[in-house]
């Protein structure tokens, strides 16, 4: 469904060049919950941004359903970003002045003019409410982010990512700022969403403890996806990881 083909990406800061991705190839299947592990600085966030067309590669292609999406005109890219992809970040990126419900509604506000918003506002609010219910926050709809715990903020961000019914969720260290128990709760929620809503999920993380809950694990190293087992620390003996 989503393919990265021979992706190269170099950052330039003053006279310094940092080659981050160096001919990276990856194929993601529809409905899969994939985790990509790698050390800090290995290019995980860079790769996720490229897959979600938040940034463009220096060379190589990103394909969705066989069609190239990295070189689309900006209007079509904006539409894909708003409707096909949902994004989840380590630090939630919620707007502090808005309630949880309004944060969840943000992608719909962005996708509408005032004229097209007004007649549909009740449906959108109902959907946002249902999503907050799904992530276990129906009792927190009016809370602002600073009145929520880390796990609750991430749940709000997940509800926001689902609002437009995306086909692909891209999660960048979604449990990276949470204690172990809240992190497990977030992983269980992502697992449920993947199963119940048929959303493909691509998660990058440096935390190997959470990856056994996903379908497949690959490793990023030296700017590529490698076949080496992702053994960066002692691994729990689960059938999934032993199979890799
Ligand atoms: P990870 O998410 O695996 O920790 P990143 O993709 O964020 O890694 O970054 C990979 C490398 O690229 C790091 O060395 C980082 O410092 C560098 N880098 C990331 N973004 C930029 C940028 N906008 N400008 C310059 N260097 C960057
Ligand atoms: Mg990162």
């Amino acid at each position: 469904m989503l393919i990265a083909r021979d992706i190269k990406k170099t950052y330039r800061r003053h006279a310094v060049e940092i080659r981050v991705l160096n001919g990276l190839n990856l194929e993601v299947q529809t409905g899969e919950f994939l985790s990509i592990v790698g050390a800090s600085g290995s290019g995980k966030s860079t790769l996720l941004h490229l897959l979600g067309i938040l940034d463009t590669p220096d060379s190589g292609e990103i394909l969705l359903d066989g069609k190239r999406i990295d070189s689309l005109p900006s209007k079509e890219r904006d539409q894909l970003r708003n409707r096909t992809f949902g994004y989840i970040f380590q630090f939630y990126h919620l707007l502090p002045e808005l309630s949880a419900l309004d944060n969840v509604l943000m992608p719909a506000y962005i996708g509408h003019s005032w004229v097209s918003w007004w007649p549909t506002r009740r449906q959108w609010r109902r959907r946002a409410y249902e999503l907050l219910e799904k992530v276990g926050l129906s009792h927190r709809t009016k809370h602002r982010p600073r009145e929520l715990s880390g796990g609750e903020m991430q749940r709000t961000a997940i509800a926001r990512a689902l609002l437009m019914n995306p086909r692909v969720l891209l999660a960048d260290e979604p449990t990276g700022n949470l204690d172990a128990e809240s992190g497990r709760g977030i992983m269980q929620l992502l697992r449920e969403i993947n199963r119940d809503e048929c959303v493909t999920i691509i998660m990058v993380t440096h935390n190997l403890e959470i990856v056994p809950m996903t379908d497949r694990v690959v490793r990023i190293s030296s700017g590529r996806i490698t076949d080496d087992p992702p053994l960066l620390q002692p691994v729990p003996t689960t059938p999934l990881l032993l199979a890799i």
Side-chain angles (χ1 to χ4, degrees):
M1 174 208 212
L2 191 60
I3 296 177
R5 192 177 284 161
D6 200 16
I7 297 294
K8 295 189 175 147
K9 181 76 182 175
T10 299
Y11 291 114
R12 289 173 192 84
R13 265 282 152 89
H14 309 295
V16 183
E17 285 200 349
I18 308 171
R19 170 153 286 196
V20 180
L21 301 180
N22 193 11
L24 178 142
N25 290 291
L26 177 68
E27 291 197 14
V28 185
Q29 311 296 324
T30 302
E32 169 167 58
F33 188 169
L34 172 71
S35 39
I36 303 171
V37 301
S40 179
S42 59
K44 302 183 297 295
S45 297
T46 301
L47 172 60
L48 213 63
H49 291 164
L50 295 174
L51 290 172
I53 55 172
L54 296 168
D55 197 1
T56 46
D58 298 334
S59 65
E61 302 176 337
I62 309 288
L63 301 119
L64 178 71
D65 299 330
K67 286 195 208 108
R68 203 165 162 187
I69 57 170
D70 60 285
S71 55
L72 288 172
S74 67
K75 207 172 161 193
E76 286 172 56
R77 286 161 63 96
D78 289 347
Q79 270 196 2
L80 268 183
R81 283 192 204 116
N82 194 240
R83 302 207 185 137
T84 303
F85 294 104
Y87 306 91
I88 303 167
F89 304 99
Q90 179 177 358
F91 296 108
Y92 328 122
H93 294 189
L94 299 172
L95 294 175
E97 294 308 318
L98 297 185
S99 68
L101 192 80
D102 282 328
N103 265 290
V104 175
L105 282 167
M106 215 50 218
Y109 292 143
I110 289 167
H112 283 83
S113 68
W114 180 244
V115 178
S116 68
W117 168 256
W118 192 249
T120 57
R121 68 193 186 286
R122 286 208 180 85
Q123 283 152 264
W124 283 113
R125 287 181 75 83
R126 196 179 319 123
R127 170 148 177 83
Y129 185 83
E130 282 166 7
L131 285 168
L132 280 172
E133 210 165 27
K134 179 169 181 67
V135 301
L137 287 183
S138 54
H139 57 311
R140 294 280 187 272
T141 57
K142 293 192 176 134
H143 285 59
R144 304 252 175 108
R146 67 169 175 278
E147 299 160 343
L148 299 171
S149 70
E152 288 170 340
M153 282 194 267
Q154 194 59 296
R155 284 168 189 272
T156 306
I158 291 171
R160 176 185 59 191
L162 291 174
L163 185 78
M164 307 302 280
N165 253 324
R167 291 173 58 200
V168 186
L169 272 188
L170 300 168
D172 192 347
E173 308 264 8
T175 66
N177 201 37
L178 301 175
D179 61 81
E181 198 184 325
S182 306
R184 262 195 303 279
I186 292 298
M187 286 303 295
Q188 271 157 10
L189 178 61
L190 290 176
R191 188 75 262 190
E192 261 173 55
I193 289 164
N194 168 254
R195 195 186 53 219
D196 301 346
E197 323 262 326
C198 287
V199 182
T200 303
I201 303 184
I202 306 171
M203 174 182 80
V204 302
T205 181
H206 68 275
N207 181 0
L208 284 180
E209 278 173 31
I210 62 174
V211 299
M213 290 180 74
T214 66
D215 295 328
R216 181 163 72 103
V217 188
V218 297
R219 177 176 168 204
I220 181 168
S221 161
S222 307
R224 294 171 193 220
I225 299 295
T226 66
D227 292 331
D228 312 342
L231 303 180
L232 306 178
Q233 61 188 50
V235 173
T237 48
T238 68
L240 178 72
L241 276 175
L242 289 176
I244 289 167

